[in-house]
Amino acid sequence: VVKLINDLKINYEDYWKDLNQINTSIKLNLNVKINNTDNLKIKNFEKILDKTDLVNNYYISKFDKNFIFYKIIFNGTPNSFLKTMSDYNYEFDTQNKLWVLK
């Protein structure tokens, strides 16, 4: 019985690892534009980026009187990034190469 339980545990762990495998060699460059009128929203967005595991790096690439432009290096797929951000109630307009935080 113990051998059966150990075998099931190993099989389950291997299956879980295959499903949740992360390819850190993927470097997805995202360009995000945020309206700069809401400083709290910007501050919270940066906090989320800081604590998100798959965000390799981010920086402000430029800013003007209306917007802040971020370059985000993400180790995952675009859908994975959007899912992670939606968990924190951040939605993006992704119609263009430059994504806009709603």
Side-chain angles (χ1 to χ4, degrees), residues 4-79:
L4 177 65
I5 291 172
N6 285 334
D7 288 346
L8 286 172
K9 179 183 173 199
I10 290 170
N11 285 338
Y12 177 76
E13 287 175 348
D14 289 345
Y15 178 74
W16 185 88
K17 288 176 186 176
D18 283 342
L19 285 177
N20 295 294
Q21 192 171 9
I22 298 170
N23 185 351
T24 57
S25 66
I26 296 173
K27 302 279 191 228
L28 178 65
N29 291 312
L30 301 172
N31 296 301
V32 174
K33 179 171 91 169
I34 302 175
N35 190 320
N36 67 13
T37 58
D38 188 349
N39 289 332
L40 182 60
K41 185 176 187 178
I42 293 166
K43 182 179 177 181
N44 289 334
F45 179 69
E46 288 185 0
K47 282 183 183 179
I48 300 298
L49 292 176
D50 286 335
K51 70 180 184 178
T52 301
D53 289 333
L54 294 178
V55 172
N56 183 291
N57 192 15
Y58 71 92
Y59 57 91
I60 295 173
S61 59
K62 71 177 185 173
F63 60 91
D64 60 27
K65 66 179 184 167
N66 298 316
F67 296 100
I68 296 176
F69 298 85
Y70 286 90
K71 171 104 35 195
I72 302 169
I73 313 297
F74 187 73
N75 292 340
T77 64
N79 288 338

